[in-house]
Amino acid sequence: MRSYIRNVLAQNNSRGSTVIIKNGKPQQISYGWAWYGKRIGNGNDSVVYPTASLQKVVTAAMVVQLMNEKWHTSERFSQNTKISRWYPELKNANNITLGQLINHTSGINAVNTEADRRINYSEDDAVKWAIDNANAIDPSTPGTYFYNNTNYILLAVIIKKISGQSYETNFNNRIVNKLGLANTYLYQNIPSWKTDPISYTWNIKNYQDPEYITKTQASQLVGAANMFTTPMDYYKIQVGLSNGAILNKSDFHYLTHLKSRANNYSGGIYLDNNDTIKSAYGNLGGTHFGIWFQMTTDNRNGLIMFLNQTAGDENAQKQVGYQILNHIKPYTFIAG
């Protein structure tokens, strides 16, 4: 398996770290340099990778946790609660439900959420920018799917408003500490003995056009794309979403079948093949990362693929993964 995976990545001019899950057993297989200039290899113990939009299911899961905790109190809320409860200053908030935020069907269509503004934002400042930016553009009618990071930046601070603690504190207590994750951080908490990787493109040769995620860019995207981890820790998160560690199976079903969904996306992930396959893809503007997972919903087979060198667009990267998935368990997964 190790030789096969490394050969597939090499043939497709791709580099990165993967976790292969076959019959319930995860195995890490990495290839190439995470930081070419310093010769730090992918899969090195010091490297933690950006998850980009693969973080969104984590944020959404924490909302469901709080929903359960507040259910028998005066602070009870549900997927149908209007977000004007937390954001009365947001345009159209009286018509947008919490579920629509989670499913990108809020009508919010703010722009330039990933363009590095070179400002180190606090959680509150990040959401203030998001609200101001959203208010500057007339929203679409709620119910229309429009993928936008602003939805999840707003969710991050809803978590803060409901719990009385920062998104960072909730993330560490509800996810990192709960699962005993040793390699999962929000960007600002990556310790000095760890490093995030450089991203590259293949252009005639390997390791071209180096780009990395800056502290300021990450701070803009609280709750949406500021989590860093390893593919093995991310595997543990996926398992935890339905085994009771983060959510139980009933909670996971609720999260992935919200009434506000307009397609097969709900709660930060896509479900396909009669809910037997789950997946999500992420990257960040101005960088070359390709972050993708596709697993069976029982967590027994699949691939978590964190690429820091990519060749081609999102579809090309998914085709690399699909080739690997067909080797793991043929006739099970989908191409995309």
Side-chain angles (χ1 to χ4, degrees):
M1 181 69 76
R2 184 172 298 274
S3 295
Y4 178 83
I5 304 304
R6 290 165 65 91
N7 284 338
V8 169
L9 293 176
Q11 289 164 10
N12 288 278
N13 301 310
S14 301
R15 304 290 185 269
S17 187
T18 71
V19 160
I20 310 303
I21 308 105
K22 185 175 177 65
N23 298 325
K25 296 179 180 179
Q27 178 186 6
Q28 178 178 292
I29 301 172
S30 305
Y31 183 61
W33 301 108
W35 190 338
Y36 179 73
K38 291 193 174 182
R39 296 301 193 272
I40 299 173
N42 280 311
N44 185 290
D45 289 343
S46 68
V47 180
V48 292
Y49 296 81
T51 55
S53 287
L54 272 65
Q55 178 181 354
K56 288 184 170 71
V57 69
V58 174
T59 298
M62 290 197 286
V63 173
V64 172
Q65 287 179 332
L66 285 165
M67 198 179 294
N68 290 338
E69 291 166 19
K70 300 296 184 180
W71 196 247
H72 297 292
T73 76
S74 60
E75 299 174 72
R76 174 175 174 163
F77 67 98
S78 75
Q79 63 178 304
N80 301 314
T81 302
K82 298 295 194 293
I83 65 168
S84 53
R85 175 166 165 178
W86 302 287
Y87 296 115
E89 73 277 32
L90 179 67
K91 187 183 294 185
N92 214 32
N94 283 321
N95 297 316
I96 299 170
T97 67
L98 183 67
Q100 287 170 332
L101 272 191
I102 293 171
N103 283 351
H104 300 282
T105 53
S106 65
I108 292 171
N109 51 14
V111 297
N112 296 325
T113 60
E114 295 181 14
D116 189 354
R117 299 188 288 275
R118 305 295 177 182
I119 298 170
N120 189 25
Y121 287 89
S122 67
E123 291 181 6
D124 288 340
D125 287 341
V127 81
K128 183 182 184 303
W129 183 94
I131 290 171
D132 290 345
N133 197 27
N135 282 342
I137 303 172
D138 288 334
S140 300
T141 302
T144 303
Y145 179 80
F146 185 85
Y147 192 96
N148 194 281
N149 286 315
T150 301
N151 292 291
Y152 274 76
I153 299 168
L154 293 172
L155 286 171
V157 177
I158 285 176
I159 289 169
K160 180 177 182 176
K161 291 178 182 234
I162 293 169
S163 68
Q165 296 180 308
S166 67
Y167 178 88
E168 176 183 328
T169 297
N170 277 279
F171 175 80
N172 287 331
N173 290 341
R174 295 175 180 277
I175 306 300
V176 176
N177 297 340
K178 191 74 173 179
L179 294 176
L181 303 177
N183 298 292
T184 300
Y185 310 92
L186 299 183
Y187 186 95
Q188 66 268 22
N189 296 326
I190 298 174
S192 59
W193 59 90
K194 299 282 188 180
T195 185
D196 53 310
I198 310 296
S199 72
Y200 306 92
T201 56
W202 184 87
N203 185 6
I204 302 177
K205 59 181 180 179
N206 294 315
Y207 306 111
Q208 301 301 298
D209 307 317
E211 296 288 350
Y212 66 97
I213 296 169
T214 65
K215 181 178 183 179
T216 52
Q217 185 182 27
S219 76
Q220 298 169 192
L221 296 165
V222 56
N226 66 329
M227 181 176 93
F228 287 68
T229 188
T230 61
M232 189 62 78
D233 266 17
Y234 195 76
Y235 163 76
K236 294 174 184 176
I237 289 171
Q238 282 298 320
V239 172
L241 287 170
S242 57
N243 73 355
I246 300 174
L247 301 177
N248 60 33
K249 287 183 179 180
S250 176
D251 291 331
F252 181 75
H253 184 271
Y254 178 88
L255 178 64
T256 54
H257 294 79
L258 295 174
K259 295 175 182 177
S260 56
R261 68 177 182 170
N263 49 26
N264 59 343
Y265 181 97
S266 182
I269 59 174
Y270 294 87
L271 290 183
D272 290 287
N273 284 11
N274 295 317
D275 295 351
T276 61
I277 300 295
K278 58 181 177 177
S279 67
Y281 175 85
N283 58 15
L284 276 172
T287 71
H288 315 301
F289 293 103
I291 311 299
W292 187 59
F293 89 93
Q294 189 175 145
M295 295 169 59
T296 54
T297 48
D298 64 6
N299 299 309
R300 290 192 53 78
N301 293 281
L303 166 69
I304 299 167
M305 184 174 73
F306 290 179
L307 298 180
N308 73 307
Q309 178 178 293
T310 54
D313 60 9
E314 173 183 339
N315 287 331
Q317 294 155 33
K318 289 179 177 178
Q319 286 302 317
V320 175
Y322 185 56
Q323 185 176 344
I324 294 170
L325 287 166
N326 274 336
H327 187 73
I328 296 169
K329 194 172 179 66
Y331 312 114
T332 301
F333 298 95
I334 62 169

